[in-house]
Amino acid sequence: MFCYQCQEASKGTGCTLRGVCGKRDDVAKLQDVLIYVLKGISIYTTKAREAGIVNEEADRFIMEGLFSTITNVNFDKNYFVEKIKQGLILRDQIKERLLKEGVEIGNNLHDSAVWTADSVDEFEKKAEKVGILATENEDIRSLRELLTYGVKGMAAYAEHAYVLGYKDENIFAFMQKALAATTDDNLTADDLVALVMECGKFGVDVMALLDKANTSTYGNPEITKVNIGVRNNPGILISGHDLKDMEELLKQTEGTGVDVYTHGEMLPANYYPAFKKYSHFVGNYGNAWWQQDREFESFNGPILMTTNCLVPPKDTYKDRVYTTGVVGFEGVKHIPAGKDGKPKDFTPIIEHAKKCKPPVEIEKGEIIGGFAHNQVLSLADKVVEAVKTGAIKRFFVMAGCDGRMKSREYYTEFAKQLPRDTVILTAGCAKYRYNKLDLGDIGGIPRVLDAGQCNDSYSLAVIALKLKEIFGLNDINELPISYNIAWYEQKAVIVLLALLYLGVKNIHLGPTLPAFLSPNVARVLVDKFGIGGITNVEDDIKMFMA
Ligand code: FS2
Ligand code: SF4
């Protein structure tokens, strides 16, 4: 195997024997093959689109397939074997249809569009030839992977919008065009850079679509004090990003005597009016994803993983973990999609919870959040006034992800040492590094404003664009906003590309730069966008405040 798609890639270069995330060698190889199959399908669907033929089954298959290969989503070998088989069948059906309708498909098709196999052994053998390292030129490889990871992040957000009934044909078309482009040896590095930038445009679009889906369905997030303690009933812990699952779980647990708590990236569900009305929705339990081994243990009740980040569960609590959607792990129970558009049936988890002890309290108190664009803009006068009087000197966008590495303590220290006249704008699980510190407020405005999940970084961009308008500036970079972003997995890649597309310059990325950026590709990002890494807290704060 060779995988370098996340920030924790082994030795900062890539995992080769087993993922630091726990992904096994055989699973990694099958993920590579599935991506290869998706590229083959995309070659045909892109030609089909040009001929006016759209295949929603393929759109969905590609979106879900991409999502399933994101870090910490699916570790189940059988899942990938089945998807590869289904994908090859789907690919050939689309090809047949094109031939039947007289669409020109050419005769020099890429191998991903024509190879075939039907056994696990053959798939694993195929993996040797189609993995990341199959592209020899390191710059082309770097750009192809950067594009692929951007599209993976895009797929995750598109899927969340899709389950709420929101989709955008142009986003599907771009994902497929991009995948097909990674098989085209005629494309130069410049062509690929252009596609990476275009990916950022669709990154903005997909986050806007998801924002619309979430807020139209569940209302605008509002300022909320979230309880982080526990009650004395059995509970279900729900993690990941899927708000539809959140809704269905709350409905089905109502009146059962079972409480519901969020974990990790589901914390922002507490900010939505539609969820706040449930009296058995207690609050948030625990911290960012990587602490789940201890927190799932002490929670005592069942845990529902709706998306990443799943850590390979310990035997001591494995029987209490349930996956759903594209998440999977061998030996862990899976809640399937509802039939014929019906809701998922969470009865097994609810019945399981009833037999469990209440959670052990690990924290007490409240955290505050809910500062998505609608809420912040309703406070715009106050914020603008604070900037004009100098009460707020600078905003720091510290969005993104958290992770295991010790070096991420930098972010806690950074937040602690920031001057008292600065405000942190956050989104994503990165927030857990500083959302429980007592950083105070500025004239009633808390010094940490949490917009929500990683996709709600879109909210931060909307806020920045609005401030630019209010202050009558020509360029978003003239605002007193600095970007010190922590990344981990591929959704952070699409968020980054979206910010670059919006013209944001001088973003600092840590705790380390992506292993998949070759020196030349990294140089392009530095020269064109002023992207930088991090050094140490003192020097970085000086540099940002200068
Ligand atoms: Fe955090 Fe993990 Fe949000 Fe990422 S819970 S690193 O998937 O998407 O952020
Ligand atoms: Fe390694 Fe990250 Fe890939 Fe897992 S996802 S195998 S940790 S690079």
Side-chain angles (χ1 to χ4, degrees), residues 97-391:
R97 171 146 184 227
L98 292 183
L99 290 173
K100 217 188 242 162
E101 304 217 2
V103 177
E104 183 58 55
I105 59 169
N107 43 23
N108 202 8
L109 288 165
H110 185 260
D111 177 66
S112 61
V114 294
W115 78 285
T116 200
D118 57 14
S119 74
V120 184
D121 286 351
E122 288 170 295
F123 296 160
E124 286 184 10
K125 220 173 258 153
K126 188 73 184 171
E128 307 291 345
K129 298 196 188 77
V130 305
I132 294 163
L133 299 176
T135 302
E136 280 169 22
N137 179 305
E138 75 164 346
D139 297 325
I140 298 291
R141 181 198 307 150
S142 175
L143 289 164
R144 284 179 175 174
E145 294 308 312
L146 174 57
L147 184 58
T148 306
Y149 305 151
V151 167
K152 285 189 184 192
M154 190 184 298
Y157 294 155
E159 160 79 13
H160 295 317
Y162 190 89
V163 296
L164 294 175
Y166 290 76
K167 59 182 177 181
D168 177 347
E169 163 59 24
N170 297 318
I171 291 170
F172 290 133
F174 178 78
M175 286 196 263
Q176 294 158 28
K177 178 175 94 168
L179 285 176
T182 63
T183 68
D184 187 345
D185 290 330
N186 294 317
L187 296 184
T188 63
D190 285 345
D191 296 330
L192 289 167
V193 169
L195 276 165
V196 167
M197 292 305 118
E198 197 181 350
C199 189
K201 180 222 175 284
F202 286 100
V204 175
D205 291 353
V206 78
M207 283 192 276
L209 180 73
L210 180 53
D211 182 74
K212 189 168 156 209
N214 286 342
T215 56
S216 317
T217 315
Y218 303 117
N220 275 300
E222 48 194 38
I223 302 178
T224 307
K225 284 184 177 151
V226 180
N227 169 34
I228 56 172
V230 301
R231 284 190 201 154
N232 208 19
N233 301 318
I236 295 172
L237 191 59
I238 174 170
S239 191
H241 305 68
D242 195 307
L243 296 185
K244 179 89 178 155
D245 288 334
M246 182 76 206
E247 178 190 5
E248 289 176 356
L249 182 68
L250 283 171
K251 277 189 184 153
Q252 293 177 35
T253 41
E254 201 171 20
T256 61
V258 173
D259 287 337
V260 173
Y261 297 77
T262 54
H263 187 267
E265 272 283 68
M266 198 56 92
L267 158 63
N270 288 275
Y271 312 152
Y272 285 90
F275 302 141
K276 284 175 158 185
K277 66 175 190 229
Y278 293 97
S279 60
H280 66 296
F281 181 16
V282 178
N284 190 68
Y285 187 85
N287 294 280
W289 64 274
W290 61 277
Q291 308 211 42
Q292 67 187 248
D293 56 342
R294 278 184 294 118
E295 293 167 356
F296 287 5
E297 187 93 62
S298 62
F299 185 75
N300 285 336
I303 302 114
L304 175 63
M305 292 301 303
T306 68
T307 70
N308 48 338
C309 282
L310 173 66
V311 172
K314 286 189 191 160
D315 287 341
T316 46
Y317 63 80
K318 190 174 179 183
D319 69 315
R320 287 191 277 116
V321 178
Y322 291 76
T323 60
T324 191
V326 292
V327 190
F329 197 93
E330 278 158 38
V332 165
K333 294 173 277 282
H334 188 81
I335 302 288
K339 289 218 169 71
D340 307 322
K342 291 213 183 72
K344 289 178 184 172
D345 181 5
F346 291 120
T347 310
I349 311 182
I350 300 168
E351 290 309 313
H352 190 157
K354 287 179 183 167
K355 294 184 213 123
C356 295
K357 285 190 285 188
V360 173
E361 188 153 80
I362 51 174
E363 288 170 303
K364 253 191 177 49
E366 287 171 333
I367 46 179
I368 188 163
F371 296 92
H373 57 87
N374 185 72
Q375 180 66 79
V376 174
L377 296 179
S378 75
L379 301 170
D381 290 349
K382 222 173 161 181
V383 174
V384 169
E385 192 52 28
V387 174
K388 281 189 177 154
T389 60

Side-chain angles (χ1 to χ4, degrees), residues 1-10 14-16 18-23 28 31 69-72 75 404 488 490:
M1 70 174 279
F2 181 79
C3 179
Y4 63 176
Q5 67 175 352
C6 84
Q7 189 272 327
E8 292 184 359
S10 181
C15 300
T16 52
R18 182 190 179 93
V20 172
C21 59
K23 182 161 77 177
Q31 289 188 354
T69 66
I70 288 180
T71 305
N72 293 340
F75 299 81
R404 306 173 176 92
Y488 171 59
Q490 299 76 55

Side-chain angles (χ1 to χ4, degrees), residues 416-436:
K416 278 188 190 163
Q417 291 189 32
L418 272 177
R420 306 277 309 165
D421 52 9
T422 58
V423 169
I424 295 171
L425 303 174
T426 191
C429 62
K431 66 166 113 343
Y432 285 101
R433 289 280 168 179
Y434 33 80
N435 69 343
K436 292 170 186 172

